[in-house]
Amino acid sequence: MLTSQSSSSALTLWITLAGVGIGLVVGLLAGIQPLYLGLAVGSIPLVFYFFNRFEQAVIGLLVVRSALDPFSIQQIPAAFAISLDVLTLLYVVVRLLTGQIVRTDKFWWLFAGWVALQGVWVILIPLGEMPLDSGVLLDSIREWVRLFSWLMVYLLVMQLQDRLHPQKMISALFFALILPLTVALIQTFVSVSFLPAILQGTKDPISGEISRINGTLGLSNTFATFLLLFIGLTYWKLSQSQQRWPWLILLGLLGFFYVSTKALFSLMMLAVFILILIAPRLSLIKLIGGVLLFAVVIVLFASTEFGQERLSSLAQTPLLNPDIDISRAIILSHGDGNSFNWRLAQWTLLIQAWEQSPIFGYGLATSRYLTIYNNYAHNDYVRALTEGGILGFLTFLVFLGTQAIHLIQLLRRTSCSSAQNFCRVLLAILAAILVGMITENIWTHTTLFFYWWTLFSVAAWNWNQPKPVDNSVSK
């Protein structure tokens, strides 16, 4: 192991070499595309800041992610993900070359193996082993890079272990709520006509008013799952804090926005979240509290015209109407505007497509090309089956199950009550996600999983550490 002084000198050397490499790239880009040149030049101070103020830089990157989705057309979220991947890999390489520890755990290696395995479905497309032509290759590559970015988020956050206390790290993530909730508040009370595109929610087709808020997450459903994640974190903070009223206010605010997304599937997710959360230590008071909380959400949802229409639409589906079978529901889906019947039609068409390629499916991110609707599956299990075939579907289920097993192991292994409660909250969120995947494209909610893997990594930290240890490589 290198001494502190030699480690610092070696780090400076490698950062200098990286700067020289960036300079060469800048010269090359100057003759190709001025925009790329500007991005490359702007990345130089970011790299130096990243290495010299590592903790602050990582927290800043984590916090800012919730504000990027409105710029998807400009490819800002994609550029952010790739930049984060490069920074993480560069940081890991420098630490390895300077003889320092790179923190991982068993789950990270399993995660890495699963991501690597997903690359097989990308490779099979240009080899001509998949039913679709190479026109879908770019989408498959993008999907694999998205999964790889989640792996890098997990790895990057692992490097903060023993530098920050877990509770301090989780508290810092609440800053990611500021901009989404501010925009959601504007969307709630201000007409569409007065808002720029970045602040607009989902319009009502008749009145033109904002009917469903989405914050900065682009889609109301995406915003709903993001809010559920932070509802879980707020509940955990509420149980840990001496001053509970600020967290109660935040919980109420998050609940208000959660209902305002008007996402029907989110009600079932909330019910599952509450049930899993109170089940291990069920008492009459907790049961009454959970029922009351869910009842309030249902009443608020049903108090709006949109909510009433969504709930009444269930009566025209096979779910609540025995006179409507699946075949009739599929026929009705072409004209009744019922989203559940439309989903049944989409799932049926995707399963029929899967039957033509049952073993390997069609490849990552190909499900929207397989039906007349040209839309996502709206069922992550059907999506996994169609895109990955039987093999891909089984690996998907194993990966989901491994997450639950890992959290249960962490829960049993730790003696810290805060860590135990945190793992219970994550298990409740995971259960809600698994249920939401039945009728929604949860797997495409990139921002949700960006923070999910951040929290998943923090759960594996040493929660008994009384005080952060300064492991900084710069002195």
Side-chain angles (χ1 to χ4, degrees):
M1 187 64 65
L2 298 178
T3 64
S4 174
Q5 183 175 1
S6 61
S7 296
S8 179
S9 300
L11 176 61
T12 303
L13 172 62
W14 285 108
I15 293 179
T16 302
L17 292 175
V20 172
I22 292 173
L24 294 174
V25 173
V26 165
L28 178 63
L29 292 177
I32 300 176
Q33 174 56 261
L35 177 61
Y36 296 160
L37 172 61
L39 292 174
V41 171
S43 68
I44 296 175
L46 177 61
V47 171
F48 279 90
Y49 180 78
F50 183 80
F51 277 91
N52 286 282
R53 295 289 185 270
F54 181 68
E55 294 89 343
Q56 297 92 322
V58 172
I59 291 176
L61 289 171
L62 296 176
V63 168
V64 78
R65 179 59 186 87
S66 63
L68 299 182
D69 281 359
F71 306 100
S72 296
I73 295 178
Q74 293 79 19
Q75 300 295 314
I76 297 300
F80 175 86
I82 294 173
S83 299
L84 186 141
D85 294 346
V86 172
L87 283 173
T88 303
L89 292 174
L90 181 60
Y91 183 79
V92 168
V93 169
V94 169
R95 288 189 69 87
L96 290 175
L97 292 174
T98 55
Q100 299 177 81
I101 295 175
V102 175
R103 296 188 179 277
T104 60
D105 60 8
K106 291 181 179 179
F107 182 84
W108 185 86
W109 288 105
L110 186 146
F111 192 0
W114 182 81
V115 170
L117 182 61
Q118 301 311 298
V120 172
W121 278 267
V122 179
I123 295 172
L124 290 176
I125 294 176
L127 293 178
E129 300 296 328
M130 306 299 279
L132 297 179
D133 58 35
S134 58
V136 301
L137 178 59
L138 188 58
D139 285 338
S140 290
I141 292 174
R142 287 197 188 106
E143 176 66 10
W144 187 87
V145 171
R146 192 173 72 99
L147 302 179
F148 180 77
S149 296
W150 295 350
L151 179 68
M152 291 297 99
V153 169
Y154 190 105
L155 179 62
L156 184 62
V157 175
M158 282 295 294
Q159 308 317 305
L160 291 176
Q161 184 176 354
D162 294 335
R163 296 185 175 205
L164 295 174
H165 193 276
Q167 294 198 23
K168 183 177 180 181
M169 177 66 186
I170 297 168
S171 297
L173 293 180
F174 280 91
F175 286 104
L177 284 173
I178 294 176
L179 193 57
L181 295 191
T182 300
V183 173
L185 191 64
I186 296 173
Q187 292 172 347
T188 303
F189 297 107
V190 183
S191 170
V192 170
S193 59
F194 296 103
L195 295 177
I198 190 176
L199 299 181
Q200 291 182 5
T202 303
K203 298 180 183 179
D204 183 280
I206 299 177
S207 67
E209 299 293 318
I210 292 177
S211 62
R212 300 179 66 188
I213 64 171
N214 55 37
T216 56
L217 276 294
L219 296 173
S220 300
N221 290 355
T222 309
F223 191 40
T225 55
F226 173 80
L227 289 173
L228 181 63
L229 180 73
F230 277 93
I231 286 174
L233 290 184
T234 305
Y235 173 85
W236 175 76
K237 290 292 291 186
L238 183 63
S239 66
Q240 306 298 313
S241 178
Q242 298 271 346
Q243 296 183 336
R244 307 184 70 181
W245 64 267
W247 299 108
L248 283 171
I249 293 175
L250 178 59
L251 188 61
L253 186 63
L254 292 173
F256 169 76
F257 287 130
Y258 190 73
V259 174
S260 299
T261 62
K262 299 178 182 178
L264 187 58
F265 79 96
S266 68
L267 299 181
M268 186 56 64
M269 290 183 67
L270 182 63
V272 172
F273 171 78
I274 294 173
L275 178 62
I276 298 300
L277 205 57
I278 66 176
R281 298 179 179 178
L282 186 61
S283 64
L284 182 61
I285 294 178
K286 288 186 177 181
L287 180 61
I288 293 174
V291 171
L292 286 177
L293 176 60
F294 186 67
V296 168
V297 172
I298 290 292
V299 169
L300 290 175
F301 185 83
S303 65
T304 65
E305 184 177 350
F306 182 87
Q308 293 169 7
E309 292 177 355
R310 294 302 300 273
L311 291 174
S312 63
S313 68
L314 293 177
Q316 302 303 317
T317 69
L319 185 66
L320 296 180
N321 192 334
D323 295 327
I324 299 178
D325 57 17
I326 294 180
S327 299
R328 186 182 174 192
I330 293 173
I331 296 174
L332 291 174
S333 69
H334 295 286
D336 66 353
N338 190 308
S339 62
F340 188 81
N341 287 338
W342 175 88
R343 281 170 166 79
L344 287 176
Q346 176 76 335
W347 302 342
T348 301
L349 292 174
L350 286 174
I351 292 175
Q352 289 174 355
W354 163 73
E355 291 173 349
Q356 306 303 314
S357 182
I359 305 301
F360 288 100
Y362 292 83
L364 298 182
T366 58
S367 57
R368 59 179 175 155
Y369 298 110
L370 301 177
T371 73
I372 59 174
Y373 299 110
N374 294 319
N375 207 327
Y376 293 105
H378 287 72
N379 182 315
D380 285 320
Y381 304 105
V382 173
R383 176 205 56 80
L385 180 64
T386 305
E387 296 181 359
I390 295 175
L391 295 179
F393 179 69
L394 291 176
T395 60
F396 182 67
L397 293 182
V398 169
F399 183 58
L400 294 176
T402 304
Q403 294 177 48
I405 293 172
H406 182 66
L407 288 174
I408 293 172
Q409 289 176 341
L410 291 177
L411 175 63
R412 292 176 175 176
R413 190 169 64 200
T414 183
S415 59
C416 176
S417 60
S418 295
Q420 291 175 343
N421 292 333
F422 185 68
C423 289
R424 290 190 182 98
V425 168
L426 292 188
L427 279 169
I429 294 172
L430 178 60
I433 289 174
L434 296 181
V435 171
M437 283 180 171
I438 298 174
T439 60
E440 183 52 39
N441 304 304
I442 305 291
W443 198 245
T444 66
H445 296 186
T446 304
T447 307
L448 165 70
F449 284 103
F450 183 91
Y451 291 106
W452 169 256
W453 292 118
T454 296
L455 298 172
F456 209 86
S457 180
V458 173
W461 288 9
N462 177 17
W463 287 66
N464 293 317
Q465 183 72 33
K467 151 180 200 185
V469 176
D470 185 12
N471 245 357
S472 178
V473 296
S474 59
K475 300 294 180 182

